Amino acid sequence: MKVTVNVECTPEEARTFFGLPDVQPMQQAMMKEVEDRMKANLSAMDPETMINTWMPQGIQNWEQLQKAFWGQFNGANGGPKGDKD
């Protein structure tokens, strides 16, 4: 025997039925606070400071990779690091 029951309700009705708390007002307040803090911080930063704040390691790693690449390139072609006989 197979029984199928379809229930149509809104998320709010389902939360109320199962006894779950309504966290929507708290969530809206928290998102408003996060938005306000982000706006305050972004208006105080110039683009260069923002980039350095968000990606300091990425830029440093990229520069190190470039230095290593050019060091290997110069060494392989008999540049300053290569030993010529």
Side-chain angles (χ1 to χ4, degrees):
M1 176 188 288
K2 190 174 189 180
V3 176
T4 302
V5 177
N6 293 325
V7 177
E8 290 186 24
C9 66
T10 65
E12 291 82 19
E13 293 171 338
R15 274 195 297 271
T16 303
F17 178 77
F18 287 111
L20 298 173
D22 185 16
V23 296
Q24 192 172 12
M26 181 183 66
Q27 185 179 22
Q28 288 176 347
M30 291 299 295
M31 290 305 293
K32 178 67 174 149
E33 180 70 25
V34 168
E35 182 181 349
D36 292 343
R37 286 185 183 191
M38 285 180 66
K39 284 180 181 178
N41 287 337
L42 287 176
S43 65
M45 289 187 176
D46 62 304
E48 184 178 353
T49 306
M50 257 190 326
I51 295 290
N52 291 336
T53 301
W54 289 348
M55 301 183 297
Q57 290 299 320
I59 292 172
Q60 290 175 356
N61 289 339
W62 180 252
E63 289 173 357
Q64 290 173 353
L65 179 66
Q66 285 179 329
K67 287 178 184 176
F69 174 76
W70 285 110
Q72 290 295 321
F73 182 75
N74 288 334
N77 288 330
K81 292 184 181 179
D83 293 329
K84 281 190 168 182
D85 291 330

